[in-house]
Amino acid sequence: MITQALSLPDWSPEAVVFDCDGTLVDTERHWQEARRRAFDAFGLTPPPGFAERAKGVHYTDCGRLMAEETQKPELAADLARALLEHFLALVADDPVTMPGAVELVRLLSGRMPLAVASNCPLEVVEECLGRAGLRRHFQHIVVPSGTSPDSGCEMRPGIVRPKPWPDVYATAARLCGVEPVAALAVEDSLTGVESASRAGLRVVGVGPRPAEEDAVRADLWVETLRAPELLAWIGAGVSGGG
């Protein structure tokens, strides 16, 4: 079901950049379980509402957040390492695509450049896409190579900062050979929506519609990538060359 419709029906993308976690591959439950295991390994109790605050956050920043919210700042690096180790083990055992992801990627594949912009390490994205049978459809994968989004640093050549900085989406559009304003981002987290919007891409948000002040940050919200209206719009734009 389309829950918001603005200017997208009159516009067609020249490239599409997808988030991976929670957008293409159902890994958020693995991150949740990995966080639970990491907390448990250090004898810590997850603070109320932590799962929502951690959604879409780079794993190193998540480790820092886990440490800060449990008053154990000295454990930030150890928690981040444990989080990634548990996640990799979980996703290797149980890769599942999100509803509609395969259909949408196949619809677009070969007709325009496709890329992935993710906060996950490259090996995680490659593993997830490979096991889901989607890797061959993407010409580019962009992941952070730089510092924490909380560091306040400016962008430097060769440094790609994690979401919510715009770097991963701006870089993905450039690699696809299009201006950011000509590209579409597909995202499930508000962190990712902010990143794509700051980069200048139009954005489709996927999942339950958030509060209105957050919903307006995307051009469109759909419950799943199987939304018939979304597939019809993308199909018409691709067929029309738009």
Side-chain angles (χ1 to χ4, degrees), residues 148-178:
S148 161
D150 293 326
S151 68
C153 72
E154 296 299 321
M155 187 175 183
R156 300 190 303 276
I159 298 296
V160 178
R161 299 166 296 184
K163 307 171 189 178
W165 289 103
D167 301 15
V168 289
Y169 277 106
T171 301
R174 176 178 58 79
L175 290 172
C176 286
V178 305

Side-chain angles (χ1 to χ4, degrees), residues 61-214:
D61 296 304
C62 187
R64 175 190 49 76
L65 192 63
M66 294 167 74
E68 288 179 354
E69 293 201 12
T70 53
Q71 289 76 55
K72 297 289 185 180
E74 70 278 8
L75 294 178
D78 292 333
L79 282 165
R81 280 192 294 270
L83 177 61
L84 182 59
E85 288 172 3
H86 287 302
F87 174 79
L88 288 172
L90 289 163
V91 78
D93 289 339
D94 186 23
V96 178
T97 55
M98 295 297 291
V102 172
E103 296 93 327
L104 182 57
V105 170
R106 287 177 176 171
L107 176 64
L108 295 168
S109 183
R111 302 184 183 185
M112 65 179 66
L114 301 183
V116 169
S118 175
N119 261 0
C120 287
L122 181 61
E123 64 268 27
V124 172
V125 180
E126 293 275 9
E127 176 79 9
C128 289
L129 295 179
R131 287 182 172 271
L134 294 175
R135 178 63 184 89
R136 64 186 178 88
H137 297 289
F138 294 97
Q139 288 76 50
H140 308 286
I141 296 175
V142 181
V143 300
S145 63
T147 57
S148 161
D150 293 326
S151 68
C153 72
E154 296 299 321
M155 187 175 183
R156 300 190 303 276
I159 298 296
V160 178
R161 299 166 296 184
K163 307 171 189 178
W165 289 103
D167 301 15
V168 289
Y169 277 106
T171 301
R174 176 178 58 79
L175 290 172
C176 286
V178 305
E179 294 295 322
V181 293
L184 177 70
V186 185
E187 265 288 352
D188 76 305
S189 74
L190 293 176
T191 299
V193 169
E194 180 180 351
S195 172
S197 296
R198 290 172 66 183
L201 284 74
R202 298 199 186 189
V203 187
V204 168
V206 185
R209 182 181 174 87
E212 192 60 27
E213 62 268 22
D214 292 321

